[in-house]
Amino acid sequence: MAALAEALDAALVPVWGWGPSLGAGHMDPAQAAEAIALLQPRLAVPIHWGTFLPLGYRRRHGHLLRDPPHEFAAHVATRAPATHVAILAPGTSLDLGVGKTGRP
């Protein structure tokens, strides 16, 4: 990952799995922040959170629908403070301002 750092403007980073456990191949917010510390993008957008929780899990695990991106942002603030974190609500978008000049 560190080899990509020089040319990386933005990173979409998964910060959770689905349901109350991560599952194989997923990162929690702290692990995702470690990846950002290696990648050093100007912008990080946490993804793969807040869209699915199995029926009956909301009362006990509802925090998983809202907390992971904020925990990620807090970890990034200490591990990669030069990276801006943009937290988007599920289904929303982010205008990167690319088009006229080709760069944000």
Side-chain angles (χ1 to χ4, degrees), residues 32-63:
E34 288 299 323
I36 291 302
L38 292 172
L39 292 169
Q40 295 292 313
R42 292 187 309 173
L43 170 68
V45 179
I47 62 169
H48 201 25
W49 63 273
T51 55
F52 180 72
L53 193 63
L55 189 62
Y57 281 66
R58 186 176 297 266
R59 174 177 278 176
R60 191 168 186 191
H61 301 288
H63 62 95

PDB file of all heavy atoms in Angstrom, residues 32-63:
ATOM      1  N   ALA A  32      -8.836   0.059   9.090  1.00  0.00           N
ATOM      2  CA  ALA A  32      -8.986   0.891   7.896  1.00  0.00           C
ATOM      3  C   ALA A  32      -8.140   2.161   8.012  1.00  0.00           C
ATOM      4  O   ALA A  32      -7.536   2.614   7.039  1.00  0.00           O
ATOM      5  CB  ALA A  32     -10.456   1.245   7.678  1.00  0.00           C
ATOM      6  N   ALA A  33      -8.058   2.723   9.209  1.00  0.00           N
ATOM      7  CA  ALA A  33      -7.225   3.909   9.426  1.00  0.00           C
ATOM      8  C   ALA A  33      -5.742   3.577   9.249  1.00  0.00           C
ATOM      9  O   ALA A  33      -4.975   4.405   8.749  1.00  0.00           O
ATOM     10  CB  ALA A  33      -7.483   4.497  10.810  1.00  0.00           C
ATOM     11  N   GLU A  34      -5.336   2.376   9.642  1.00  0.00           N
ATOM     12  CA  GLU A  34      -3.949   1.951   9.414  1.00  0.00           C
ATOM     13  C   GLU A  34      -3.658   1.884   7.910  1.00  0.00           C
ATOM     14  O   GLU A  34      -2.567   2.252   7.471  1.00  0.00           O
ATOM     15  CB  GLU A  34      -3.684   0.594  10.068  1.00  0.00           C
ATOM     16  CG  GLU A  34      -3.615   0.643  11.577  1.00  0.00           C
ATOM     17  CD  GLU A  34      -2.489   1.537  12.084  1.00  0.00           C
ATOM     18  OE1 GLU A  34      -1.397   1.565  11.476  1.00  0.00           O
ATOM     19  OE2 GLU A  34      -2.706   2.218  13.096  1.00  0.00           O
ATOM     20  N   ALA A  35      -4.626   1.409   7.133  1.00  0.00           N
ATOM     21  CA  ALA A  35      -4.452   1.379   5.677  1.00  0.00           C
ATOM     22  C   ALA A  35      -4.298   2.799   5.137  1.00  0.00           C
ATOM     23  O   ALA A  35      -3.446   3.057   4.282  1.00  0.00           O
ATOM     24  CB  ALA A  35      -5.632   0.682   5.019  1.00  0.00           C
ATOM     25  N   ILE A  36      -5.069   3.728   5.661  1.00  0.00           N
ATOM     26  CA  ILE A  36      -4.963   5.124   5.226  1.00  0.00           C
ATOM     27  C   ILE A  36      -3.604   5.704   5.612  1.00  0.00           C
ATOM     28  O   ILE A  36      -3.015   6.477   4.854  1.00  0.00           O
ATOM     29  CB  ILE A  36      -6.119   5.966   5.814  1.00  0.00           C
ATOM     30  CG1 ILE A  36      -7.435   5.555   5.162  1.00  0.00           C
ATOM     31  CG2 ILE A  36      -5.874   7.457   5.650  1.00  0.00           C
ATOM     32  CD1 ILE A  36      -7.479   5.703   3.653  1.00  0.00           C
ATOM     33  N   ALA A  37      -3.092   5.332   6.771  1.00  0.00           N
ATOM     34  CA  ALA A  37      -1.768   5.810   7.178  1.00  0.00           C
ATOM     35  C   ALA A  37      -0.696   5.349   6.188  1.00  0.00           C
ATOM     36  O   ALA A  37       0.275   6.070   5.934  1.00  0.00           O
ATOM     37  CB  ALA A  37      -1.446   5.325   8.586  1.00  0.00           C
ATOM     38  N   LEU A  38      -0.884   4.176   5.602  1.00  0.00           N
ATOM     39  CA  LEU A  38       0.060   3.682   4.594  1.00  0.00           C
ATOM     40  C   LEU A  38      -0.166   4.348   3.237  1.00  0.00           C
ATOM     41  O   LEU A  38       0.785   4.688   2.539  1.00  0.00           O
ATOM     42  CB  LEU A  38      -0.075   2.162   4.443  1.00  0.00           C
ATOM     43  CG  LEU A  38       0.376   1.311   5.613  1.00  0.00           C
ATOM     44  CD1 LEU A  38      -0.012  -0.142   5.385  1.00  0.00           C
ATOM     45  CD2 LEU A  38       1.876   1.435   5.817  1.00  0.00           C
ATOM     46  N   LEU A  39      -1.427   4.519   2.871  1.00  0.00           N
ATOM     47  CA  LEU A  39      -1.764   5.054   1.552  1.00  0.00           C
ATOM     48  C   LEU A  39      -1.562   6.568   1.445  1.00  0.00           C
ATOM     49  O   LEU A  39      -1.247   7.081   0.387  1.00  0.00           O
ATOM     50  CB  LEU A  39      -3.220   4.715   1.204  1.00  0.00           C
ATOM     51  CG  LEU A  39      -3.509   3.244   0.966  1.00  0.00           C
ATOM     52  CD1 LEU A  39      -5.015   3.016   0.901  1.00  0.00           C
ATOM     53  CD2 LEU A  39      -2.840   2.764  -0.310  1.00  0.00           C
ATOM     54  N   GLN A  40      -1.813   7.290   2.532  1.00  0.00           N
ATOM     55  CA  GLN A  40      -1.663   8.750   2.592  1.00  0.00           C
ATOM     56  C   GLN A  40      -2.428   9.508   1.497  1.00  0.00           C
ATOM     57  O   GLN A  40      -1.875  10.407   0.857  1.00  0.00           O
ATOM     58  CB  GLN A  40      -0.176   9.129   2.532  1.00  0.00           C
ATOM     59  CG  GLN A  40       0.641   8.662   3.721  1.00  0.00           C
ATOM     60  CD  GLN A  40       0.258   9.377   4.998  1.00  0.00           C
ATOM     61  OE1 GLN A  40       0.123  10.593   5.023  1.00  0.00           O
ATOM     62  NE2 GLN A  40       0.080   8.623   6.057  1.00  0.00           N
ATOM     63  N   PRO A  41      -3.711   9.186   1.256  1.00  0.00           N
ATOM     64  CA  PRO A  41      -4.461   9.961   0.268  1.00  0.00           C
ATOM     65  C   PRO A  41      -4.824  11.329   0.832  1.00  0.00           C
ATOM     66  O   PRO A  41      -4.824  11.530   2.053  1.00  0.00           O
ATOM     67  CB  PRO A  41      -5.716   9.125   0.045  1.00  0.00           C
ATOM     68  CG  PRO A  41      -5.949   8.497   1.385  1.00  0.00           C
ATOM     69  CD  PRO A  41      -4.547   8.183   1.897  1.00  0.00           C
ATOM     70  N   ARG A  42      -5.156  12.263  -0.044  1.00  0.00           N
ATOM     71  CA  ARG A  42      -5.637  13.563   0.425  1.00  0.00           C
ATOM     72  C   ARG A  42      -7.043  13.442   1.000  1.00  0.00           C
ATOM     73  O   ARG A  42      -7.418  14.177   1.887  1.00  0.00           O
ATOM     74  CB  ARG A  42      -5.627  14.576  -0.712  1.00  0.00           C
ATOM     75  CG  ARG A  42      -4.222  14.927  -1.145  1.00  0.00           C
ATOM     76  CD  ARG A  42      -4.184  16.049  -2.136  1.00  0.00           C
ATOM     77  NE  ARG A  42      -5.095  15.795  -3.253  1.00  0.00           N
ATOM     78  CZ  ARG A  42      -5.370  16.655  -4.207  1.00  0.00           C
ATOM     79  NH1 ARG A  42      -4.793  17.836  -4.210  1.00  0.00           N
ATOM     80  NH2 ARG A  42      -6.189  16.357  -5.185  1.00  0.00           N
ATOM     81  N   LEU A  43      -7.823  12.491   0.453  1.00  0.00           N
ATOM     82  CA  LEU A  43      -9.217  12.307   0.855  1.00  0.00           C
ATOM     83  C   LEU A  43      -9.490  10.828   1.087  1.00  0.00           C
ATOM     84  O   LEU A  43      -9.072   9.985   0.291  1.00  0.00           O
ATOM     85  CB  LEU A  43     -10.152  12.817  -0.253  1.00  0.00           C
ATOM     86  CG  LEU A  43     -11.638  12.507  -0.118  1.00  0.00           C
ATOM     87  CD1 LEU A  43     -12.238  13.276   1.055  1.00  0.00           C
ATOM     88  CD2 LEU A  43     -12.360  12.824  -1.405  1.00  0.00           C
ATOM     89  N   ALA A  44     -10.192  10.516   2.161  1.00  0.00           N
ATOM     90  CA  ALA A  44     -10.635   9.148   2.431  1.00  0.00           C
ATOM     91  C   ALA A  44     -12.138   9.157   2.657  1.00  0.00           C
ATOM     92  O   ALA A  44     -12.657  10.007   3.395  1.00  0.00           O
ATOM     93  CB  ALA A  44      -9.931   8.578   3.657  1.00  0.00           C
ATOM     94  N   VAL A  45     -12.828   8.235   2.010  1.00  0.00           N
ATOM     95  CA  VAL A  45     -14.271   8.107   2.168  1.00  0.00           C
ATOM     96  C   VAL A  45     -14.560   6.714   2.725  1.00  0.00           C
ATOM     97  O   VAL A  45     -14.291   5.717   2.055  1.00  0.00           O
ATOM     98  CB  VAL A  45     -15.013   8.298   0.826  1.00  0.00           C
ATOM     99  CG1 VAL A  45     -16.519   8.142   1.009  1.00  0.00           C
ATOM    100  CG2 VAL A  45     -14.684   9.651   0.208  1.00  0.00           C
ATOM    101  N   PRO A  46     -15.081   6.631   3.960  1.00  0.00           N
ATOM    102  CA  PRO A  46     -15.418   5.325   4.509  1.00  0.00           C
ATOM    103  C   PRO A  46     -16.649   4.760   3.804  1.00  0.00           C
ATOM    104  O   PRO A  46     -17.640   5.472   3.598  1.00  0.00           O
ATOM    105  CB  PRO A  46     -15.695   5.613   5.984  1.00  0.00           C
ATOM    106  CG  PRO A  46     -16.056   7.057   6.044  1.00  0.00           C
ATOM    107  CD  PRO A  46     -15.335   7.722   4.907  1.00  0.00           C
ATOM    108  N   ILE A  47     -16.552   3.494   3.412  1.00  0.00           N
ATOM    109  CA  ILE A  47     -17.660   2.824   2.730  1.00  0.00           C
ATOM    110  C   ILE A  47     -17.940   1.487   3.408  1.00  0.00           C
ATOM    111  O   ILE A  47     -17.225   1.076   4.302  1.00  0.00           O
ATOM    112  CB  ILE A  47     -17.356   2.602   1.227  1.00  0.00           C
ATOM    113  CG1 ILE A  47     -16.137   1.689   1.043  1.00  0.00           C
ATOM    114  CG2 ILE A  47     -17.154   3.935   0.510  1.00  0.00           C
ATOM    115  CD1 ILE A  47     -15.928   1.210  -0.377  1.00  0.00           C
ATOM    116  N   HIS A  48     -18.975   0.817   2.939  1.00  0.00           N
ATOM    117  CA  HIS A  48     -19.337  -0.533   3.388  1.00  0.00           C
ATOM    118  C   HIS A  48     -19.718  -0.529   4.864  1.00  0.00           C
ATOM    119  O   HIS A  48     -19.216  -1.301   5.667  1.00  0.00           O
ATOM    120  CB  HIS A  48     -18.168  -1.492   3.114  1.00  0.00           C
ATOM    121  CG  HIS A  48     -18.577  -2.945   3.065  1.00  0.00           C
ATOM    122  ND1 HIS A  48     -19.843  -3.364   2.754  1.00  0.00           N
ATOM    123  CD2 HIS A  48     -17.869  -4.067   3.291  1.00  0.00           C
ATOM    124  CE1 HIS A  48     -19.893  -4.662   2.793  1.00  0.00           C
ATOM    125  NE2 HIS A  48     -18.708  -5.125   3.119  1.00  0.00           N
ATOM    126  N   TRP A  49     -20.636   0.369   5.206  1.00  0.00           N
ATOM    127  CA  TRP A  49     -21.158   0.453   6.562  1.00  0.00           C
ATOM    128  C   TRP A  49     -22.583   1.011   6.467  1.00  0.00           C
ATOM    129  O   TRP A  49     -22.932   1.673   5.490  1.00  0.00           O
ATOM    130  CB  TRP A  49     -20.316   1.390   7.443  1.00  0.00           C
ATOM    131  CG  TRP A  49     -20.331   2.797   6.960  1.00  0.00           C
ATOM    132  CD1 TRP A  49     -19.489   3.342   6.031  1.00  0.00           C
ATOM    133  CD2 TRP A  49     -21.249   3.831   7.307  1.00  0.00           C
ATOM    134  NE1 TRP A  49     -19.825   4.642   5.785  1.00  0.00           N
ATOM    135  CE2 TRP A  49     -20.924   4.976   6.561  1.00  0.00           C
ATOM    136  CE3 TRP A  49     -22.330   3.892   8.164  1.00  0.00           C
ATOM    137  CZ2 TRP A  49     -21.624   6.173   6.652  1.00  0.00           C
ATOM    138  CZ3 TRP A  49     -23.030   5.086   8.259  1.00  0.00           C
ATOM    139  CH2 TRP A  49     -22.665   6.214   7.510  1.00  0.00           C
ATOM    140  N   GLY A  50     -23.382   0.763   7.454  1.00  0.00           N
ATOM    141  CA  GLY A  50     -24.672   1.418   7.600  1.00  0.00           C
ATOM    142  C   GLY A  50     -25.769   1.038   6.633  1.00  0.00           C
ATOM    143  O   GLY A  50     -26.778   1.723   6.562  1.00  0.00           O
ATOM    144  N   THR A  51     -25.595  -0.020   5.874  1.00  0.00           N
ATOM    145  CA  THR A  51     -26.629  -0.352   4.898  1.00  0.00           C
ATOM    146  C   THR A  51     -27.365  -1.646   5.194  1.00  0.00           C
ATOM    147  O   THR A  51     -28.430  -1.874   4.647  1.00  0.00           O
ATOM    148  CB  THR A  51     -26.030  -0.453   3.479  1.00  0.00           C
ATOM    149  OG1 THR A  51     -24.963  -1.388   3.483  1.00  0.00           O
ATOM    150  CG2 THR A  51     -25.516   0.896   3.023  1.00  0.00           C
ATOM    151  N   PHE A  52     -26.838  -2.497   6.041  1.00  0.00           N
ATOM    152  CA  PHE A  52     -27.487  -3.772   6.297  1.00  0.00           C
ATOM    153  C   PHE A  52     -27.210  -4.254   7.711  1.00  0.00           C
ATOM    154  O   PHE A  52     -26.064  -4.287   8.150  1.00  0.00           O
ATOM    155  CB  PHE A  52     -26.988  -4.824   5.301  1.00  0.00           C
ATOM    156  CG  PHE A  52     -27.624  -6.170   5.500  1.00  0.00           C
ATOM    157  CD1 PHE A  52     -28.946  -6.385   5.159  1.00  0.00           C
ATOM    158  CD2 PHE A  52     -26.907  -7.212   6.044  1.00  0.00           C
ATOM    159  CE1 PHE A  52     -29.543  -7.621   5.362  1.00  0.00           C
ATOM    160  CE2 PHE A  52     -27.489  -8.460   6.245  1.00  0.00           C
ATOM    161  CZ  PHE A  52     -28.808  -8.663   5.897  1.00  0.00           C
ATOM    162  N   LEU A  53     -28.271  -4.612   8.392  1.00  0.00           N
ATOM    163  CA  LEU A  53     -28.177  -5.240   9.703  1.00  0.00           C
ATOM    164  C   LEU A  53     -29.295  -6.272   9.752  1.00  0.00           C
ATOM    165  O   LEU A  53     -30.452  -5.942   9.493  1.00  0.00           O
ATOM    166  CB  LEU A  53     -28.348  -4.205  10.817  1.00  0.00           C
ATOM    167  CG  LEU A  53     -27.983  -4.623  12.221  1.00  0.00           C
ATOM    168  CD1 LEU A  53     -26.490  -4.949  12.322  1.00  0.00           C
ATOM    169  CD2 LEU A  53     -28.315  -3.531  13.217  1.00  0.00           C
ATOM    170  N   PRO A  54     -28.968  -7.526  10.014  1.00  0.00           N
ATOM    171  CA  PRO A  54     -29.997  -8.564  10.014  1.00  0.00           C
ATOM    172  C   PRO A  54     -31.174  -8.215  10.918  1.00  0.00           C
ATOM    173  O   PRO A  54     -31.021  -7.574  11.957  1.00  0.00           O
ATOM    174  CB  PRO A  54     -29.259  -9.802  10.525  1.00  0.00           C
ATOM    175  CG  PRO A  54     -27.833  -9.558  10.153  1.00  0.00           C
ATOM    176  CD  PRO A  54     -27.645  -8.075  10.317  1.00  0.00           C
ATOM    177  N   LEU A  55     -32.352  -8.648  10.507  1.00  0.00           N
ATOM    178  CA  LEU A  55     -33.579  -8.428  11.260  1.00  0.00           C
ATOM    179  C   LEU A  55     -33.404  -8.894  12.702  1.00  0.00           C
ATOM    180  O   LEU A  55     -32.878  -9.971  12.961  1.00  0.00           O
ATOM    181  CB  LEU A  55     -34.727  -9.188  10.588  1.00  0.00           C
ATOM    182  CG  LEU A  55     -36.124  -8.912  11.101  1.00  0.00           C
ATOM    183  CD1 LEU A  55     -36.475  -7.437  10.883  1.00  0.00           C
ATOM    184  CD2 LEU A  55     -37.130  -9.791  10.401  1.00  0.00           C
ATOM    185  N   GLY A  56     -33.811  -8.048  13.640  1.00  0.00           N
ATOM    186  CA  GLY A  56     -33.716  -8.383  15.052  1.00  0.00           C
ATOM    187  C   GLY A  56     -32.429  -7.937  15.729  1.00  0.00           C
ATOM    188  O   GLY A  56     -32.285  -8.079  16.931  1.00  0.00           O
ATOM    189  N   TYR A  57     -31.496  -7.379  14.982  1.00  0.00           N
ATOM    190  CA  TYR A  57     -30.201  -6.974  15.548  1.00  0.00           C
ATOM    191  C   TYR A  57     -30.149  -5.488  15.911  1.00  0.00           C
ATOM    192  O   TYR A  57     -29.212  -5.048  16.555  1.00  0.00           O
ATOM    193  CB  TYR A  57     -29.072  -7.265  14.552  1.00  0.00           C
ATOM    194  CG  TYR A  57     -28.634  -8.703  14.520  1.00  0.00           C
ATOM    195  CD1 TYR A  57     -29.479  -9.697  14.071  1.00  0.00           C
ATOM    196  CD2 TYR A  57     -27.363  -9.058  14.939  1.00  0.00           C
ATOM    197  CE1 TYR A  57     -29.077 -11.019  14.034  1.00  0.00           C
ATOM    198  CE2 TYR A  57     -26.945 -10.377  14.909  1.00  0.00           C
ATOM    199  CZ  TYR A  57     -27.814 -11.350  14.453  1.00  0.00           C
ATOM    200  OH  TYR A  57     -27.409 -12.655  14.421  1.00  0.00           O
ATOM    201  N   ARG A  58     -31.113  -4.699  15.482  1.00  0.00           N
ATOM    202  CA  ARG A  58     -31.035  -3.241  15.653  1.00  0.00           C
ATOM    203  C   ARG A  58     -30.941  -2.824  17.120  1.00  0.00           C
ATOM    204  O   ARG A  58     -30.147  -1.948  17.465  1.00  0.00           O
ATOM    205  CB  ARG A  58     -32.212  -2.553  14.987  1.00  0.00           C
ATOM    206  CG  ARG A  58     -32.083  -1.048  15.027  1.00  0.00           C
ATOM    207  CD  ARG A  58     -33.200  -0.354  14.272  1.00  0.00           C
ATOM    208  NE  ARG A  58     -33.179  -0.691  12.864  1.00  0.00           N
ATOM    209  CZ  ARG A  58     -32.572   0.038  11.941  1.00  0.00           C
ATOM    210  NH1 ARG A  58     -31.951   1.126  12.285  1.00  0.00           N
ATOM    211  NH2 ARG A  58     -32.591  -0.328  10.687  1.00  0.00           N
ATOM    212  N   ARG A  59     -31.718  -3.409  17.991  1.00  0.00           N
ATOM    213  CA  ARG A  59     -31.717  -2.985  19.398  1.00  0.00           C
ATOM    214  C   ARG A  59     -30.332  -3.141  20.023  1.00  0.00           C
ATOM    215  O   ARG A  59     -29.839  -2.261  20.711  1.00  0.00           O
ATOM    216  CB  ARG A  59     -32.730  -3.781  20.194  1.00  0.00           C
ATOM    217  CG  ARG A  59     -32.644  -3.459  21.690  1.00  0.00           C
ATOM    218  CD  ARG A  59     -33.669  -4.185  22.475  1.00  0.00           C
ATOM    219  NE  ARG A  59     -34.903  -3.424  22.366  1.00  0.00           N
ATOM    220  CZ  ARG A  59     -36.050  -3.804  22.863  1.00  0.00           C
ATOM    221  NH1 ARG A  59     -36.135  -4.956  23.487  1.00  0.00           N
ATOM    222  NH2 ARG A  59     -37.107  -3.067  22.765  1.00  0.00           N
ATOM    223  N   ARG A  60     -29.707  -4.257  19.775  1.00  0.00           N
ATOM    224  CA  ARG A  60     -28.413  -4.549  20.409  1.00  0.00           C
ATOM    225  C   ARG A  60     -27.217  -4.032  19.613  1.00  0.00           C
ATOM    226  O   ARG A  60     -26.186  -3.678  20.170  1.00  0.00           O
ATOM    227  CB  ARG A  60     -28.291  -6.050  20.597  1.00  0.00           C
ATOM    228  CG  ARG A  60     -27.158  -6.449  21.460  1.00  0.00           C
ATOM    229  CD  ARG A  60     -27.301  -7.894  21.824  1.00  0.00           C
ATOM    230  NE  ARG A  60     -26.283  -8.247  22.781  1.00  0.00           N
ATOM    231  CZ  ARG A  60     -26.023  -9.461  23.131  1.00  0.00           C
ATOM    232  NH1 ARG A  60     -26.721 -10.453  22.634  1.00  0.00           N
ATOM    233  NH2 ARG A  60     -25.083  -9.717  24.001  1.00  0.00           N
ATOM    234  N   HIS A  61     -27.340  -3.996  18.283  1.00  0.00           N
ATOM    235  CA  HIS A  61     -26.204  -3.652  17.429  1.00  0.00           C
ATOM    236  C   HIS A  61     -26.478  -2.474  16.491  1.00  0.00           C
ATOM    237  O   HIS A  61     -25.751  -2.290  15.516  1.00  0.00           O
ATOM    238  CB  HIS A  61     -25.789  -4.873  16.595  1.00  0.00           C
ATOM    239  CG  HIS A  61     -25.409  -6.058  17.406  1.00  0.00           C
ATOM    240  ND1 HIS A  61     -24.235  -6.118  18.121  1.00  0.00           N
ATOM    241  CD2 HIS A  61     -26.054  -7.227  17.635  1.00  0.00           C
ATOM    242  CE1 HIS A  61     -24.172  -7.281  18.756  1.00  0.00           C
ATOM    243  NE2 HIS A  61     -25.255  -7.959  18.476  1.00  0.00           N
ATOM    244  N   GLY A  62     -27.501  -1.683  16.779  1.00  0.00           N
ATOM    245  CA  GLY A  62     -27.861  -0.556  15.917  1.00  0.00           C
ATOM    246  C   GLY A  62     -26.739   0.451  15.728  1.00  0.00           C
ATOM    247  O   GLY A  62     -26.668   1.146  14.713  1.00  0.00           O
ATOM    248  N   HIS A  63     -25.830   0.524  16.686  1.00  0.00           N
ATOM    249  CA  HIS A  63     -24.699   1.443  16.590  1.00  0.00           C
ATOM    250  C   HIS A  63     -23.834   1.141  15.361  1.00  0.00           C
ATOM    251  O   HIS A  63     -23.159   2.030  14.838  1.00  0.00           O
ATOM    252  CB  HIS A  63     -23.847   1.392  17.864  1.00  0.00           C
ATOM    253  CG  HIS A  63     -23.242   0.046  18.115  1.00  0.00           C
ATOM    254  ND1 HIS A  63     -21.966  -0.270  17.708  1.00  0.00           N
ATOM    255  CD2 HIS A  63     -23.744  -1.061  18.715  1.00  0.00           C
ATOM    256  CE1 HIS A  63     -21.704  -1.524  18.043  1.00  0.00           C
ATOM    257  NE2 HIS A  63     -22.762  -2.024  18.660  1.00  0.00           N
TER     258      HIS A  63
END
